[in-house]
mmCIF file of all heavy atoms in Angstrom:
data_model
loop_
_atom_site.group_PDB
_atom_site.id
_atom_site.type_symbol
_atom_site.label_atom_id
_atom_site.label_comp_id
_atom_site.label_asym_id
_atom_site.label_seq_id
_atom_site.Cartn_x
_atom_site.Cartn_y
_atom_site.Cartn_z
ATOM 1 N N ALA A 192 18.370 -139.277 69.075
ATOM 2 C CA ALA A 192 19.622 -139.983 69.346
ATOM 3 C C ALA A 192 20.526 -139.151 70.246
ATOM 4 O O ALA A 192 21.159 -139.684 71.164
ATOM 5 C CB ALA A 192 20.333 -140.307 68.034
ATOM 6 N N ARG A 193 20.574 -137.860 70.000
ATOM 7 C CA ARG A 193 21.409 -136.990 70.834
ATOM 8 C C ARG A 193 20.873 -136.948 72.258
ATOM 9 O O ARG A 193 21.645 -137.007 73.225
ATOM 10 C CB ARG A 193 21.457 -135.584 70.231
ATOM 11 C CG ARG A 193 22.444 -134.648 70.916
ATOM 12 C CD ARG A 193 22.684 -133.421 70.055
ATOM 13 N NE ARG A 193 21.441 -132.727 69.769
ATOM 14 C CZ ARG A 193 21.220 -132.008 68.661
ATOM 15 N NH1 ARG A 193 22.144 -131.947 67.727
ATOM 16 N NH2 ARG A 193 20.070 -131.382 68.489
ATOM 17 N N GLY A 194 19.560 -136.868 72.417
ATOM 18 C CA GLY A 194 18.988 -136.863 73.756
ATOM 19 C C GLY A 194 19.199 -138.180 74.477
ATOM 20 O O GLY A 194 19.503 -138.208 75.680
ATOM 21 N N LEU A 195 19.059 -139.290 73.744
ATOM 22 C CA LEU A 195 19.282 -140.595 74.355
ATOM 23 C C LEU A 195 20.741 -140.769 74.755
ATOM 24 O O LEU A 195 21.040 -141.360 75.797
ATOM 25 C CB LEU A 195 18.865 -141.695 73.380
ATOM 26 C CG LEU A 195 19.037 -143.141 73.852
ATOM 27 C CD1 LEU A 195 18.218 -143.397 75.119
ATOM 28 C CD2 LEU A 195 18.651 -144.130 72.755
ATOM 29 N N ALA A 196 21.650 -140.246 73.937
ATOM 30 C CA ALA A 196 23.073 -140.343 74.259
ATOM 31 C C ALA A 196 23.384 -139.641 75.577
ATOM 32 O O ALA A 196 24.188 -140.143 76.383
ATOM 33 C CB ALA A 196 23.909 -139.744 73.127
ATOM 34 N N LEU A 197 22.755 -138.512 75.818
ATOM 35 C CA LEU A 197 22.985 -137.796 77.077
ATOM 36 C C LEU A 197 22.528 -138.633 78.265
ATOM 37 O O LEU A 197 23.207 -138.695 79.294
ATOM 38 C CB LEU A 197 22.249 -136.454 77.053
ATOM 39 C CG LEU A 197 22.687 -135.450 75.984
ATOM 40 C CD1 LEU A 197 21.855 -134.181 76.077
ATOM 41 C CD2 LEU A 197 24.171 -135.121 76.120
ATOM 42 N N ARG A 198 21.380 -139.283 78.128
ATOM 43 C CA ARG A 198 20.880 -140.126 79.226
ATOM 44 C C ARG A 198 21.748 -141.368 79.402
ATOM 45 O O ARG A 198 22.040 -141.781 80.529
ATOM 46 C CB ARG A 198 19.424 -140.509 78.967
ATOM 47 C CG ARG A 198 18.464 -139.331 78.945
ATOM 48 C CD ARG A 198 17.013 -139.775 78.968
ATOM 49 N NE ARG A 198 16.641 -140.503 77.760
ATOM 50 C CZ ARG A 198 16.219 -139.927 76.640
ATOM 51 N NH1 ARG A 198 16.141 -138.591 76.565
ATOM 52 N NH2 ARG A 198 15.867 -140.649 75.605
ATOM 53 N N LEU A 199 22.156 -141.962 78.300
ATOM 54 C CA LEU A 199 23.000 -143.149 78.386
ATOM 55 C C LEU A 199 24.363 -142.825 78.982
ATOM 56 O O LEU A 199 24.971 -143.663 79.653
ATOM 57 C CB LEU A 199 23.186 -143.761 76.989
ATOM 58 C CG LEU A 199 21.977 -144.511 76.425
ATOM 59 C CD1 LEU A 199 22.232 -144.904 74.970
ATOM 60 C CD2 LEU A 199 21.675 -145.752 77.253
ATOM 61 N N GLY A 200 24.855 -141.603 78.751
ATOM 62 C CA GLY A 200 26.124 -141.205 79.347
ATOM 63 C C GLY A 200 26.067 -141.246 80.858
ATOM 64 O O GLY A 200 27.002 -141.729 81.526
ATOM 65 N N ALA A 201 24.953 -140.760 81.407
ATOM 66 C CA ALA A 201 24.787 -140.791 82.862
ATOM 67 C C ALA A 201 24.644 -142.220 83.370
ATOM 68 O O ALA A 201 25.185 -142.588 84.426
ATOM 69 C CB ALA A 201 23.566 -139.961 83.256
ATOM 70 N N VAL A 202 23.922 -143.055 82.613
ATOM 71 C CA VAL A 202 23.742 -144.456 83.008
ATOM 72 C C VAL A 202 25.073 -145.201 82.980
ATOM 73 O O VAL A 202 25.370 -146.022 83.852
ATOM 74 C CB VAL A 202 22.717 -145.138 82.077
ATOM 75 C CG1 VAL A 202 22.675 -146.638 82.329
ATOM 76 C CG2 VAL A 202 21.333 -144.524 82.267
ATOM 77 N N THR A 203 25.899 -144.910 81.981
ATOM 78 C CA THR A 203 27.181 -145.591 81.817
ATOM 79 C C THR A 203 28.178 -145.216 82.904
ATOM 80 O O THR A 203 29.000 -146.043 83.325
ATOM 81 C CB THR A 203 27.779 -145.259 80.434
ATOM 82 O OG1 THR A 203 26.838 -145.610 79.415
ATOM 83 C CG2 THR A 203 29.090 -146.000 80.201
ATOM 84 N N ALA A 204 28.124 -143.980 83.350
ATOM 85 C CA ALA A 204 29.144 -143.464 84.267
ATOM 86 C C ALA A 204 29.225 -144.244 85.570
ATOM 87 O O ALA A 204 30.323 -144.477 86.093
ATOM 88 C CB ALA A 204 28.869 -141.990 84.563
ATOM 89 N N VAL A 205 28.091 -144.685 86.093
ATOM 90 C CA VAL A 205 28.086 -145.348 87.406
ATOM 91 C C VAL A 205 28.802 -146.704 87.373
ATOM 92 O O VAL A 205 29.761 -146.925 88.122
ATOM 93 C CB VAL A 205 26.646 -145.493 87.937
ATOM 94 C CG1 VAL A 205 26.641 -146.246 89.255
ATOM 95 C CG2 VAL A 205 26.008 -144.114 88.103
ATOM 96 N N PRO A 206 28.376 -147.663 86.524
ATOM 97 C CA PRO A 206 29.100 -148.944 86.500
ATOM 98 C C PRO A 206 30.538 -148.797 86.005
ATOM 99 O O PRO A 206 31.422 -149.528 86.458
ATOM 100 C CB PRO A 206 28.267 -149.814 85.552
ATOM 101 C CG PRO A 206 27.500 -148.851 84.713
ATOM 102 C CD PRO A 206 27.232 -147.677 85.593
ATOM 103 N N LEU A 207 30.772 -147.853 85.095
ATOM 104 C CA LEU A 207 32.124 -147.658 84.584
ATOM 105 C C LEU A 207 33.062 -147.196 85.691
ATOM 106 O O LEU A 207 34.181 -147.727 85.838
ATOM 107 C CB LEU A 207 32.112 -146.633 83.445
ATOM 108 C CG LEU A 207 33.467 -146.277 82.830
ATOM 109 C CD1 LEU A 207 34.143 -147.505 82.242
ATOM 110 C CD2 LEU A 207 33.294 -145.194 81.767
ATOM 111 N N ALA A 208 32.629 -146.226 86.501
ATOM 112 C CA ALA A 208 33.470 -145.743 87.591
ATOM 113 C C ALA A 208 33.738 -146.858 88.601
ATOM 114 O O ALA A 208 34.870 -147.034 89.069
ATOM 115 C CB ALA A 208 32.794 -144.550 88.275
ATOM 116 N N GLY A 209 32.692 -147.627 88.933
ATOM 117 C CA GLY A 209 32.884 -148.732 89.868
ATOM 118 C C GLY A 209 33.840 -149.782 89.340
ATOM 119 O O GLY A 209 34.697 -150.284 90.080
ATOM 120 N N PHE A 210 33.730 -150.107 88.070
ATOM 121 C CA PHE A 210 34.598 -151.112 87.471
ATOM 122 C C PHE A 210 36.047 -150.629 87.450
ATOM 123 O O PHE A 210 36.973 -151.401 87.736
ATOM 124 C CB PHE A 210 34.117 -151.417 86.047
ATOM 125 C CG PHE A 210 34.930 -152.463 85.341
ATOM 126 C CD1 PHE A 210 34.759 -153.807 85.633
ATOM 127 C CD2 PHE A 210 35.872 -152.108 84.379
ATOM 128 C CE1 PHE A 210 35.500 -154.779 84.978
ATOM 129 C CE2 PHE A 210 36.622 -153.068 83.733
ATOM 130 C CZ PHE A 210 36.432 -154.405 84.025
#
Side-chain angles (χ1 to χ4, degrees):
R193 188 166 57 209
L195 180 60
L197 297 179
R198 296 192 295 274
L199 286 173
V202 171
T203 304
V205 177
L207 178 60
F210 181 77

